Amino acid sequence: MTKKVILASGNQGKLREFYRILGSAGFEIAPQSDYDVVDVPETGLTFVENAIIKARNAAQQSGLPALADDSGIEVDALNGRPGIYSARYSGKGDDANNQKLLEEMKDVPDDKRTARFRCCIVYMRHAEDPSPLIADASWEGKIMHELSGANGFGYDPLFFVPGHGTSSAELSPDEKNAISHRGKALQMILSLMKQAKI
Ligand code: ITT
């Protein structure tokens, strides 16, 4: 029987990327909305704390093992902001977040626009799992001067990918998953799950 795992996220962009990568991993993945999981406040001060909080909450409410992703963008010129607060940066969603970032970065020269996406993915066997599996990955890039591209979600239209010479919103889903923070963290968690015979 295929193992059922709940995905502790309500972010459609993340969910699309998870499904594409995990589609062939041999699990049956259910979004937490299938189980009417009520979101929990992300009170942690680190990506890993917030990922554990979300996975534990989904496992508790569904009775299933859970995967959660806490991610965000760290901008060097802003001392690492918005970081764990990336989703909540403007308080008004993705478009307003991007506008706020452009505004805060308007006087920052090209060589000081370095940034990275970070992603922490956690797997919990059950809500009281004392040793969750944890995978962490990052993706280096730069903040652009204007929005470009329509793929992806969140800050993708402003994230310049040096190896491609485009924004991450101009990459195809497979191109992004092959090199992104989330793609790398997902491959890592799959290999940890395999080692743990899950
Ligand atoms: P869930 O907690 O329900 O998963 P969320 O959007 O609140 O959804 P986070 O707290 O982890 O998730 O915030 C992540 C934010 O970081 C996300 O809303 C984007 O703004 C940004 N982000 C993360 N990964 C990204 C990616 O691959 N491309 C663009 N932006 C990304």
Side-chain angles (χ1 to χ4, degrees):
M1 219 176 72
T2 50
K3 192 172 184 72
K4 199 161 189 176
V5 176
I6 190 160
L7 247 178
S9 175
N11 181 315
Q12 294 305 318
K14 278 188 195 177
L15 289 171
R16 274 197 303 274
E17 294 181 6
F18 265 79
Y19 293 141
R20 204 167 176 97
I21 295 173
L22 294 179
S24 54
F27 298 103
E28 187 185 336
I29 309 290
Q32 64 176 19
S33 57
D34 279 9
Y35 287 80
D36 297 326
V37 170
V38 180
D39 273 340
V40 65
E42 297 182 28
T43 51
L45 294 178
T46 57
F47 292 110
V48 64
E49 286 173 282
N50 283 337
I52 289 174
I53 287 170
K54 290 187 273 191
R56 183 182 292 131
N57 178 60
Q60 206 150 35
Q61 292 187 44
S62 66
L64 289 171
L67 272 170
D69 161 318
D70 201 63
S71 46
I73 192 163
E74 282 176 4
V75 180
D76 292 329
L78 305 179
N79 296 320
R81 283 189 299 114
I84 61 164
Y85 303 105
S86 294
R88 297 168 265 176
Y89 182 42
S90 68
K92 295 183 206 138
D94 286 353
D95 293 345
N97 286 344
N98 283 325
Q99 288 311 323
K100 181 171 175 180
L101 184 55
L102 277 176
E103 178 59 28
E104 279 210 88
M105 294 291 287
K106 70 175 189 306
D107 296 326
V108 178
D110 278 352
D111 63 334
K112 299 263 171 6
R113 298 179 77 89
T114 48
R116 69 207 51 77
F117 277 122
R118 288 204 187 274
C119 177
C120 179
I121 295 181
V122 159
Y123 176 85
M124 295 187 75
R125 299 161 184 85
H126 52 82
E128 283 85 40
D129 189 346
S131 52
L133 304 182
I134 297 170
D136 237 320
S138 59
W139 189 22
E140 297 289 330
K142 280 186 155 190
I143 303 303
M144 295 167 56
H145 292 274
E146 54 186 34
L147 299 158
S148 183
N151 297 334
F153 65 100
Y155 297 91
D156 281 328
L158 284 183
F159 188 74
F160 181 75
V161 184
H164 281 257
T166 65
S167 81
S168 51
E170 291 170 278
L171 300 181
S172 72
D174 288 336
E175 283 173 330
K176 181 181 172 190
N177 287 338
I179 55 175
S180 77
H181 52 319
R182 182 165 299 100
K184 288 184 278 193
L186 261 171
Q187 294 305 340
M188 284 163 68
I189 204 85
L190 284 174
S191 111
L192 290 175
M193 288 166 76
K194 200 167 165 194
Q195 273 173 41
K197 306 212 184 317
I198 290 164

